[in-house]
Amino acid sequence: MEEVFNYEIGAYPNPFNPSTTIRYQIPEDGMVTLMVYDILGREVKTLVNNFKTKGRYEVTFDASNFASGLYIYEITSGSYKASKKMTLIK
């Protein structure tokens, strides 16, 4: 039986210092973009920007060179788009 995937995204740990793991899954093959923005909406890091096959993935966001505060991570895959918050505490 084939495993069924839905769109999902989450970061652990959150709050974090100095790095967190962002896990996501996609139900179909396609381009995936995973970006991190500061609270003012400025892009601070591109974590993923390439073609992925359906499945589960994880990527580490190392914020050693970033200031403490709230950050937004956003995934785009096909017509799906989701944003969540994460907090860096130094």
Side-chain angles (χ1 to χ4, degrees), residues 3 5 10 37 43 54 58 68 70 73-74 77 85:
E3 190 171 5
F5 292 99
Y37 299 92
E43 178 187 322
K54 73 177 179 180
E58 61 179 50
S68 294
L70 196 60
Y73 57 104
E74 179 180 85
S77 177
K85 298 173 187 170

Side-chain angles (χ1 to χ4, degrees), residues 1-66:
M1 188 170 151
E2 188 176 332
E3 190 171 5
V4 177
F5 292 99
N6 294 314
Y7 287 109
E8 243 177 62
I9 187 166
Y12 181 82
N14 185 12
F16 67 98
N17 177 25
S19 67
T20 187
T21 300
I22 300 173
R23 294 185 175 99
Y24 64 93
Q25 65 181 34
I26 54 172
E28 54 192 37
D29 300 357
M31 278 299 294
V32 174
T33 307
L34 181 56
M35 313 283 281
V36 178
Y37 299 92
D38 67 14
I39 197 62
L40 299 176
R42 294 178 297 210
E43 178 187 322
V44 296
K45 185 85 175 167
T46 300
L47 298 173
V48 178
N49 186 21
N50 47 30
F51 186 86
K52 298 283 186 184
T53 55
K54 73 177 179 180
R56 290 189 178 94
Y57 297 90
E58 61 179 50
V59 61
T60 300
F61 173 53
D62 181 356
S64 298
N65 298 327
F66 295 100

Side-chain angles (χ1 to χ4, degrees), residues 75-86:
I75 188 168
T76 306
S77 177
S79 61
Y80 177 79
K81 191 173 201 170
S83 304
K84 291 195 175 178
K85 298 173 187 170
M86 59 185 170

